[in-house]
Amino acid sequence: MTDNTTSADNTTRTDFTRDELMEVNAARALAGARTCFVGIGLPSTAANLARATVNPDLVLIYESGTIGSKPTRLPLSIGDGELAETADAVVPVPEMFNYWLQGGRIDVGFLGAAQVDRYANINTTVVNRGPDKPEGRLPGAGGAPEIASNCGKVLMVLRHSTRNFVPELDFVTTLGHGAGPGDRKKLGMPGAGPVAVITDLGVLRPDPATAELVLTELHPGVSVEQVRAATGWELRVSDGLGATEPPTPQELAALRALKNAGKSSGKSSGKDA
Amino acid sequence: MTDNTTSADNTTRTDFTRDELMEVNAARALAGARTCFVGIGLPSTAANLARATVNPDLVLIYESGTIGSKPTRLPLSIGDGELAETADAVVPVPEMFNYWLQGGRIDVGFLGAAQVDRYANINTTVVNRGPDKPEGRLPGAGGAPEIASNCGKVLMVLRHSTRNFVPELDFVTTLGHGAGPGDRKKLGMPGAGPVAVITDLGVLRPDPATAELVLTELHPGVSVEQVRAATGWELRVSDGLGATEPPTPQELAALRALKNAGKSSGKSSGKDA
Amino acid sequence: MADIRSLHDAVADLVHDGDILAMEGFTHLIPYAAAHEIIRQGITDLTLARMTPDVIYDQLIGAGLVRKLIFSWGGNPGVGSLHRFRDAVENGWPRPLELDEHSHAGMANRYVAGASKLPFAVLRGYRGSDIPTRTETVSTVVCPFTGEELAAVAALNPDVTVIHAQQADRNGNVQLWGLTGVQKEAALAADRVLVTVEEIVDTLEPRPGGVVLPTWVIDAVAEVPGGAHPSYASGYSVRDNAFYQAWDPIARDREAFTRWIEENVRNEQSAKAAVR
Amino acid sequence: MADIRSLHDAVADLVHDGDILAMEGFTHLIPYAAAHEIIRQGITDLTLARMTPDVIYDQLIGAGLVRKLIFSWGGNPGVGSLHRFRDAVENGWPRPLELDEHSHAGMANRYVAGASKLPFAVLRGYRGSDIPTRTETVSTVVCPFTGEELAAVAALNPDVTVIHAQQADRNGNVQLWGLTGVQKEAALAADRVLVTVEEIVDTLEPRPGGVVLPTWVIDAVAEVPGGAHPSYASGYSVRDNAFYQAWDPIARDREAFTRWIEENVRNEQSAKAAVR
């Protein structure tokens, strides 16, 4: 399991890692959803864990064309054979984007990100590495711009650091809340946009009045100061700041089982892809 | 077998009918074609006869979505089960019209018609029945406007009468050559348009200089006067007027076998549909 | 999620007076039983959409339930005219019928736009045709890259789409195969979806050419064996071509038609079959 | 009609210097063997199109054959970066790489327009994104019915498309199944089509989820068992996830990469395999 903190930091008092906190809480955020458009990496881990815990009937939809995939191990890529073999239906990629995603059929889009700003806008295209260096190249948009626009709502999951949570994006690949409330509506975006960003430190949600991401929940063992230090802008804290519940033994067991099953045949690295 | 002449007229000196002359010559017109978009009724009879005679490898494409149908009897409708069961591929109807027809994949479009004018424009929508009567309703366009526009070339087959071959259309459902040469190009139509109209009296083709249909071939036993009398405008006759070859015994046998096979399970009426 | 219901209850709940209703099926899998249930319930002032109106819409039109027809080819396939359709258009019997008429390519793309939740679709169509002079749902757009003018057709989003399929499972997932026409598009374009099926099975086995509609895009499934007759369900029945031919003289005559509907659709026994 | 040919001859005849080349396959059925043959033949100045460039294009880019890339997501799926792609973009090694960058929805629709022989496609996409500021193939159109402004993407019509499929018959008809991605669109959008297949069989048996491309839309078929490795062919092989992970350190280093291509692609034995 990789992490962007030191390995000494990576285990809290009890026997789970910060990544596991992130993954378990990301899965919990899918309670009640019917359909989820799943990005690979952390979102896929969360969605598969949700099927094993809070939402056994969750319909997983991958951009490779699979609807209702029921993998028994974490897929390494969005095109692993098991995703197709266990699906209720497999459709061509253009149909997936036109009829299913743009068609407004999908409740939740679950995204990772390289850079996020305070309005949950996303950059996965290029990063500025300073005046003497060429732009750093990221993978690009993939499905994200239209996932964020067309799904009923958007969840995001990524590790918390000032490298990821930046005051200004170098490039807007995917619009979250633009420059504040009303921007999505002005652009005619059907979905509600990002409603939660789940990290390895806590959960951020857009303030209903300003659409700015505020810290609403801390994971067990994490302090507000830690989160602020890992955020590139002056992070506001919700008046009603809460704490996430520690993972249950069932959640941890399910998560670890999924990952171990994955390892036997080409393990998931946990990196976004 | 229905015909619009009297049954006494319907048999020529030898043992074939005018409809059979029409059908055999329509089939011959498909020699050398690779793919044919087939309307039901006479075009379907012709295309299936072509597969049994001059063009065994002809790929029959029906608008119901079948590519490479190989029916053993004449289908009554464009959706008969045998068309799908014997096809190389069955595709959704939107794909048929977008990727295959508009995609320029089809050599020959084979159409019937209710009314044709001298530029091979087609009306299958409404007919004027005189001042005291409401417009007479025809079935409508079906696939014809885009078949005529997008196929490499168009063949037409219909019985010859002043009811069908009219000086002016009551409604232009499907453009043939418009008002003369250049009109198709002006409209940006990819295909060459109608190249032959095969009737029960002979064959009409557009004059290369004017795009007006002229009589280029007479069927055996038919006179120029008969054709002129059955045409609603002053029909021009080609300088090199030819005669079609009588059906061979093999052609007649194949045609009758196809029709008899059809009769056993819901015979084709020969009407356009 | 689709509820598995009787045809009577599903139609009563999902199809309303004044709806835009699409009953699709390209010759194959035409939902006749559902149309007959609509006639029995007298659901009226309908705007019917269908590429090929066929005998199914001849019956609904003749029964006086239809205000407007959106279509591209109105005939009795392989036989001839739809006489009830013609009588309504030409003579206003039993009521006038407004038309919104297209080509097949245009209608197919209207459903594609509807399923894609786009307001329109683009095609290279209708060129030189008089069709656009009689409808407000064909227009033009100019390609921003090449300057070419192309046809635009307005999205078609039915209030309710009814289709017939071979199978559903007990959760209401549906599979159809064979000629699948525009059924997927018509279903995904609609606000409400009713599927009648030949059979409810424990598990849908993937089929060559199979189209699967997951239960969460469907409102109700009703098990109606033979529900496509005189059309057919590949793997279950063959097209009753003789019925299509026998329909011609029935539909030619207003009284014969009315009697046929009375005896074959409105009578007690057919009603009972639907409640099952 | 497709000719059945050796991979060497098919690539030599159909893929030319300067071509716009699409090699599609969404994780599944990626035509690696054909890409390696292109490297061996040194076909260069290519404009490569592909939704997910993947390791296959990392290899072609690193080999110095690529002038421009048209794409929507360039990573090593589940592993991380494509280092050869990054090195070309960031440092111009071994040559500068021009980019035409889209979202997946945009790329998929560019192929749809290409297959439909339309100059553009419409989608509700790119809203609020900076992507359109860096490409000339995204624009806007206004719906003539509702006035809504939508994104327009230019059609993508490759000079040549190469795909891998499970089977062809002896006449060159092809069937693929499993995840079929955008292969049908990419093939129908192209001027020339080459299909490598796992196996040539007497008869194509219809499969659930099968996509059939008739021989008359294909120029050449080459039998190349395992031609998708390290990708996979459902029913024939599984994805070699270990290879994708092993690729990361190879691609990170210019020399390691060059050596790998020399030893695994350019050497005599792989060349012989292609001529078979």
mmCIF file of all heavy atoms in Angstrom, chain C residues 29-31 78 92 106 166 174 255 267:
data_model
loop_
_atom_site.group_PDB
_atom_site.id
_atom_site.type_symbol
_atom_site.label_atom_id
_atom_site.label_comp_id
_atom_site.label_asym_id
_atom_site.label_seq_id
_atom_site.Cartn_x
_atom_site.Cartn_y
_atom_site.Cartn_z
ATOM 1 N N LEU C 29 -41.360 -8.024 -32.518
ATOM 2 C CA LEU C 29 -41.572 -7.604 -31.112
ATOM 3 C C LEU C 29 -42.476 -6.369 -30.965
ATOM 4 O O LEU C 29 -42.204 -5.488 -30.133
ATOM 5 C CB LEU C 29 -40.225 -7.319 -30.428
ATOM 6 C CG LEU C 29 -39.272 -8.489 -30.188
ATOM 7 C CD1 LEU C 29 -37.938 -7.977 -29.642
ATOM 8 C CD2 LEU C 29 -39.856 -9.517 -29.234
ATOM 9 N N ILE C 30 -43.536 -6.311 -31.752
ATOM 10 C CA ILE C 30 -44.449 -5.164 -31.640
ATOM 11 C C ILE C 30 -45.435 -5.421 -30.488
ATOM 12 O O ILE C 30 -46.049 -6.487 -30.411
ATOM 13 C CB ILE C 30 -45.208 -4.957 -32.971
ATOM 14 C CG1 ILE C 30 -44.186 -4.752 -34.110
ATOM 15 C CG2 ILE C 30 -46.149 -3.761 -32.885
ATOM 16 C CD1 ILE C 30 -44.811 -4.606 -35.480
ATOM 17 N N PRO C 31 -45.587 -4.464 -29.578
ATOM 18 C CA PRO C 31 -46.354 -4.727 -28.345
ATOM 19 C C PRO C 31 -47.872 -4.624 -28.544
ATOM 20 O O PRO C 31 -48.530 -3.747 -27.994
ATOM 21 C CB PRO C 31 -45.822 -3.658 -27.388
ATOM 22 C CG PRO C 31 -45.430 -2.517 -28.264
ATOM 23 C CD PRO C 31 -44.932 -3.134 -29.546
ATOM 24 N N GLY C 78 -45.765 -5.247 -46.623
ATOM 25 C CA GLY C 78 -45.922 -6.345 -47.561
ATOM 26 C C GLY C 78 -47.334 -6.520 -48.062
ATOM 27 O O GLY C 78 -47.579 -7.341 -48.944
ATOM 28 N N GLY C 92 -60.945 12.311 -41.673
ATOM 29 C CA GLY C 92 -61.150 12.687 -40.279
ATOM 30 C C GLY C 92 -61.995 11.695 -39.493
ATOM 31 O O GLY C 92 -62.606 12.073 -38.481
ATOM 32 N N GLY C 106 -34.384 10.233 -40.147
ATOM 33 C CA GLY C 106 -34.725 11.323 -39.232
ATOM 34 C C GLY C 106 -35.361 10.818 -37.953
ATOM 35 O O GLY C 106 -34.981 11.241 -36.846
ATOM 36 N N GLN C 166 -38.418 -10.603 -25.249
ATOM 37 C CA GLN C 166 -38.558 -12.044 -25.006
ATOM 38 C C GLN C 166 -38.590 -12.366 -23.511
ATOM 39 O O GLN C 166 -39.428 -13.124 -23.063
ATOM 40 C CB GLN C 166 -37.412 -12.816 -25.675
ATOM 41 C CG GLN C 166 -37.596 -13.007 -27.182
ATOM 42 C CD GLN C 166 -36.836 -11.996 -27.994
ATOM 43 O OE1 GLN C 166 -36.503 -10.904 -27.495
ATOM 44 N NE2 GLN C 166 -36.535 -12.304 -29.245
ATOM 45 N N VAL C 174 -34.401 -6.845 -18.407
ATOM 46 C CA VAL C 174 -35.041 -7.313 -19.639
ATOM 47 C C VAL C 174 -33.988 -7.632 -20.688
ATOM 48 O O VAL C 174 -32.980 -6.944 -20.780
ATOM 49 C CB VAL C 174 -35.999 -6.213 -20.162
ATOM 50 C CG1 VAL C 174 -36.364 -6.413 -21.620
ATOM 51 C CG2 VAL C 174 -37.244 -6.161 -19.275
ATOM 52 N N GLU C 255 -67.231 -0.486 -40.411
ATOM 53 C CA GLU C 255 -68.030 -1.374 -39.557
ATOM 54 C C GLU C 255 -67.313 -2.677 -39.244
ATOM 55 O O GLU C 255 -67.352 -3.164 -38.109
ATOM 56 C CB GLU C 255 -69.377 -1.673 -40.225
ATOM 57 C CG GLU C 255 -70.402 -0.594 -39.945
ATOM 58 C CD GLU C 255 -71.696 -0.868 -40.691
ATOM 59 O OE1 GLU C 255 -72.140 -2.037 -40.715
ATOM 60 O OE2 GLU C 255 -72.242 0.099 -41.265
ATOM 61 N N ASN C 267 -63.747 -7.418 -25.751
ATOM 62 C CA ASN C 267 -64.606 -8.400 -25.061
ATOM 63 C C ASN C 267 -64.001 -8.859 -23.734
ATOM 64 O O ASN C 267 -62.830 -8.643 -23.431
ATOM 65 C CB ASN C 267 -64.930 -9.580 -25.982
ATOM 66 C CG ASN C 267 -63.757 -10.561 -26.067
ATOM 67 O OD1 ASN C 267 -62.799 -10.491 -25.309
ATOM 68 N ND2 ASN C 267 -63.834 -11.481 -27.004
#
